[in-house]
Amino acid sequence: MQRALIERLKREIRTVPDFPKPGIAFKDICSILENPILMQDVCQGLYHDLVPLKGKVTHVVSLESRGFIFGTVMALYLKVPMIIVRKPGKLPGELVSVDYKKEYGVDTLTVESDSFGKGDQVLIHDDLLATGGSAVAAAKLVHKCGAEVCGFSFIMELNELEGRKKLQLFSDHINSVVNFEKGE
């Protein structure tokens, strides 16, 4: 099923040129969200990749905003809390923040400081691994709160941008349902 799902995703995920700025080829997951069968299959693909971590993960961290959709499903599968990481001004309470570079600018991510702590094992999920900037920032947030990163999960990965190399500093468990090569 995994190979068939990968081929289907490569056909279905739309690439939008020059969005959000010239030179960026944006991968749009709306085609997944608009197709309940495909969405279910993606959830099963993500869950398949989580099997080695089942029983180890204590929290799923999902990045704003597309990561929330599938991160919630993964937290439900694993029966653990889902913690949201957001941009500044979106979360209440005492926050921890990290600035990071992304492929088209600089941004900041925040998490509530009491979301997890020492001894917690966190799986970080987002829809896309590109340069790895936002996932690294999320990993730094996890560490600032005293927890550990036990893995990363993505729907898509853009291999040419080599974001995976940056994440290997935090965990060797890095899964993407579908990987895109340059020009795909």
Side-chain angles (χ1 to χ4, degrees):
M1 177 186 88
Q2 196 74 357
R3 181 173 288 298
L5 175 59
I6 290 167
E7 293 307 314
R8 218 158 101 217
L9 286 171
K10 285 189 174 189
R11 285 191 313 269
E12 295 288 331
I13 293 172
R14 182 173 69 129
T15 301
V16 181
D18 298 321
F19 182 82
K21 74 175 216 170
I24 302 295
F26 182 81
K27 296 291 188 191
D28 183 13
I29 66 165
C30 287
S31 58
I32 298 170
L33 303 177
E34 294 166 356
N35 181 333
I37 301 300
L38 183 56
M39 189 167 175
Q40 182 178 22
D41 290 346
V42 168
C43 290
Q44 288 172 346
L46 287 166
Y47 180 70
H48 177 267
D49 291 339
L50 292 176
V51 171
L53 295 179
K54 195 165 180 150
K56 182 177 182 181
V57 176
T58 61
H59 297 74
V60 172
V61 164
S62 299
L63 280 70
E64 183 170 328
S65 65
R66 298 185 306 170
F68 296 170
I69 300 162
F70 293 96
T72 300
V73 173
M74 292 173 25
L76 288 171
Y77 277 150
L78 294 169
K79 297 178 177 46
V80 299
M82 200 278 283
I83 307 301
I84 59 175
V85 169
R86 301 207 64 190
K87 294 179 180 167
K90 304 284 186 173
L91 290 173
E94 187 177 325
L95 304 176
V96 175
S97 67
V98 170
D99 294 332
Y100 70 100
K101 285 179 66 174
K102 52 188 185 178
E103 57 271 34
Y104 47 85
V106 176
D107 217 336
T108 302
L109 290 178
T110 65
V111 69
E112 293 180 83
S113 61
D114 61 353
S115 295
F116 31 75
K118 189 173 176 144
D120 289 332
Q121 295 290 313
V122 178
L123 174 72
I124 297 172
H125 174 75
D126 202 0
D127 67 310
L128 174 69
L129 173 57
T131 64
S134 57
V136 167
K140 288 179 179 178
L141 287 173
V142 168
H143 282 202
K144 277 187 165 186
C145 292
E148 295 296 322
V149 175
C150 64
F152 295 90
S153 170
F154 304 93
I155 296 170
M156 306 171 280
E157 181 174 347
L158 305 180
N159 292 345
E160 75 212 55
L161 298 177
E162 300 183 336
R164 179 176 289 262
K165 288 181 181 178
K166 295 175 188 168
L167 302 185
Q168 289 172 333
L169 297 172
F170 299 94
S171 175
D172 289 329
H173 188 95
I174 305 165
N175 286 315
S176 301
V177 176
V178 62
N179 294 64
F180 288 95
E181 298 300 332
K182 187 173 182 131
E184 282 189 300

